[in-house]
Amino acid sequence: MNWYGRLLASGGLIALAGGSALPAQAQAQGYPTRSITMIVPFAAGGPSDVISRIVTGHMAQTLGQSIIIENVVGAGGTTATARAARAANDGYTLITGHMGTHAASVPLYPKLAYHPEKDFEPVALLAGTPILILARKDFPPKDLKDFVTYVKANVEKINAAHAGIGSVSHVSCQLLNSVLDIKPVGVPFNGTGPAMNALVGGQVDYMCDQIVNAVPQIKGGTIKAYAVATPARNPSLPDVPTTTEAGLPAFQAQAWSAIFAPKGTPPEVIAKLNAAAVKALDDENVRKRLFDLGSVIPATAERTPEALAALVKSEIAKWTSVLKPATN
Ligand code: MLT
């Protein structure tokens, strides 16, 4: 073992006596030696925040360092994502991104301050999140067929909540609205955590949201769920029909959440983070919490950084073919 190895084995000193830092390679071998910041681009309590806290709570145990969640809001998650792209690529600043921040925002923001593929290293996919069509409890339509008729007939009187242009809730309902050929008023929030509060309070009419944010409310009877936009029903909500069963097969939508690091983060760091995320996804308690909220837990082959890179590429292409630069 050379002197580098002995030095690292002694506790991974980062700065040598002369104050010069160890090369990135040596720092990576001791990683992590301090707490990690995980940026969540939306308000606390929403799906991105909930998924991130469930998985990083276990990752912290594996890594032996705390992972501190920092909710940074604005512009549909792109404010936080641009900040993460500029962060030091030392493994101590990460982001929980998703289908909106790391795919749909590309066609919606012509001057986006980052590119999901050029400015980030994929770390690990955390969860798939089917999209539900939700409404306030006293919204008049009783089922999806009625919903379609009602929103077409009352488009100038209704509104749809979302978490900002480029967010999952925004692009999912953009897709739904284009299928229905309607353009209702959009009501933006800093996340679908606060948007859900407004839906429960009856201040907004409907929303397309990720299942993890809706299961507790649906089970509590505080909102309506018309359908889930996936081919099969979700085990956490067996009584909610699919959009196909309910007569709207053209609306299919599923989001996903994943961890990304700034471009240039050392491969050894990415590998340690990926291993910790994979271990979390194999933990029974983590799996139960994600499953009970309707998440689709990634299969082994989907959990590699390479698989996430391929997902991001295909999702950018998909949403670029579907969306035009945002208008509302
Ligand atoms: C959230 O966590 O608030 C959501 O991911 C926002 C969104 O993308 O709809």
Side-chain angles (χ1 to χ4, degrees):
M1 184 190 289
N2 66 15
W3 70 274
Y4 252 31
R6 284 194 302 279
L7 178 67
L8 291 174
S10 70
L13 290 179
I14 294 301
L16 296 179
S20 62
L22 283 171
Q25 163 91 13
Q27 287 190 47
Q29 281 161 356
Y31 176 85
T33 57
R34 54 189 166 87
S35 62
I36 296 163
T37 296
M38 176 65 77
I39 294 173
V40 169
F42 298 98
S48 296
D49 186 68
V50 166
I51 289 168
S52 191
R53 287 177 193 273
I54 289 173
V55 180
T56 59
H58 189 277
M59 289 175 68
Q61 298 167 29
T62 302
L63 294 167
Q65 293 291 343
S66 58
I67 299 180
I68 299 160
I69 301 283
E70 189 177 347
N71 300 87
V72 178
V73 301
T78 59
T79 301
T81 309
R83 179 170 141 184
R86 295 190 300 270
N89 55 10
D90 56 9
Y92 291 100
T93 304
L94 307 171
I95 185 167
T96 298
H98 65 17
M99 171 269 267
T101 60
H102 281 75
S105 288
V106 172
L108 286 175
Y109 289 91
K111 292 190 171 56
L112 193 60
Y114 63 90
H115 191 280
E117 296 175 285
K118 299 190 187 81
D119 295 319
F120 290 94
E121 304 290 355
V123 174
L125 180 65
L126 301 183
T129 49
I131 298 299
L132 288 153
I133 302 172
L134 308 169
R136 59 183 164 84
K137 193 175 172 185
D138 53 0
F139 201 50
K142 66 178 188 316
D143 59 24
L144 188 56
K145 276 200 169 65
D146 279 2
F147 173 87
V148 171
T149 306
Y150 184 89
V151 295
K152 285 184 173 182
N154 296 279
V155 64
E156 72 290 343
K157 287 188 281 185
I158 59 171
N159 61 45
H162 59 76
I165 291 175
S167 63
V168 163
S169 45
H170 173 258
V171 300
S172 302
C173 256
Q174 287 281 86
L175 184 60
L176 174 65
N177 296 340
S178 70
V179 166
L180 301 180
D181 193 22
I182 58 172
K183 282 196 172 189
V185 166
V187 182
F189 293 81
N190 280 332
T192 50
M196 182 59 77
N197 293 338
L199 195 70
V200 169
Q203 284 105 39
V204 289
D205 292 322
Y206 74 98
M207 177 160 75
C208 302
D209 198 9
Q210 297 167 76
I211 194 166
V212 296
N213 199 38
V215 167
Q217 302 303 342
I218 295 165
K219 291 191 169 177
T222 58
I223 59 170
K224 275 181 179 174
Y226 289 116
V228 58
T230 45
R233 292 194 181 199
N234 190 280
S236 68
L237 294 169
D239 299 332
V240 176
T242 65
T243 45
T244 301
E245 290 172 309
L248 195 64
F251 182 55
Q252 300 291 325
Q254 170 158 322
W256 43 269
S257 284
I259 295 175
F260 297 89
K263 194 69 163 179
T265 301
E268 299 79 11
V269 170
I270 300 293
K272 280 190 180 178
L273 290 167
N274 178 271
V278 167
K279 192 170 179 185
L281 293 177
D282 283 336
D283 174 76
E284 278 316 304
N285 178 45
V286 168
R287 293 173 68 87
K288 181 172 186 337
R289 293 175 69 191
L290 290 173
F291 185 79
D292 288 350
L293 289 173
S295 305
V296 178
I297 297 169
T300 303
E302 296 172 312
R303 299 177 184 180
T304 64
E306 296 74 19
L308 178 55
L311 176 66
V312 168
K313 185 178 288 296
S314 67
E315 288 278 282
I316 291 172
K318 179 177 95 173
W319 287 101
T320 299
S321 69
V322 168
L323 298 169
K324 297 171 187 59
T327 50
N328 75 325

